[in-house]
Amino acid sequence: MANHKSAKKRAVQSILKNSRNSQYLSKFRTTLNKFQAAINTKSSEDIEKSFSNINSIMAKAVKKGIFKKQYVARKLSSLSKQIKKI
């Protein structure tokens, strides 16, 4: 464990940041699985709803610095290609 006051504070901050980031990743993975399920059922309403949820969650994650902007663009592009195939 750290000895200096600032090092202790930094350790606590990194733990909090890690938990926050893992919550966003979990939320993203859950919505991604829902999207894949909607793709398999080929329900257009569910696909549109889940795609907009993914877009929203990823935009918030970029804003908070969890995902990079290019990763989000690439992921949304691949998901929209899946939609167009149907």
Side-chain angles (χ1 to χ4, degrees):
M1 187 66 186
N3 293 326
H4 294 284
K5 183 178 178 182
S6 61
K8 288 179 184 177
K9 181 180 176 182
R10 177 53 65 190
V12 170
Q13 286 177 338
S14 67
I15 291 169
L16 292 175
K17 186 177 179 183
N18 187 3
S19 67
R20 221 175 283 126
N21 290 351
S22 63
Q23 287 175 357
Y24 267 93
L25 286 173
S26 175
K27 197 181 295 186
F28 167 67
R29 288 186 192 120
T30 302
T31 54
L32 194 60
N33 289 337
K34 288 180 183 177
F35 176 78
Q36 292 299 334
I39 288 286
N40 291 338
T41 60
K42 297 182 181 179
S43 171
S44 61
E45 292 178 12
D46 292 339
I47 291 171
E48 290 297 320
K49 188 185 239 184
S50 60
F51 185 74
S52 66
N53 286 342
I54 289 173
N55 193 0
S56 172
I57 288 172
M58 291 183 89
K60 289 176 187 175
V62 166
K63 199 173 187 180
K64 295 186 183 289
I66 297 168
F67 292 145
K68 290 190 176 182
K69 199 173 183 180
Q70 180 59 39
Y71 172 75
V72 171
R74 189 172 59 242
K75 195 69 173 172
L76 290 176
S77 174
S78 69
L79 294 177
S80 64
K81 283 181 186 177
Q82 288 181 4
I83 293 172
K84 288 179 182 177
K85 282 184 180 179
I86 293 178

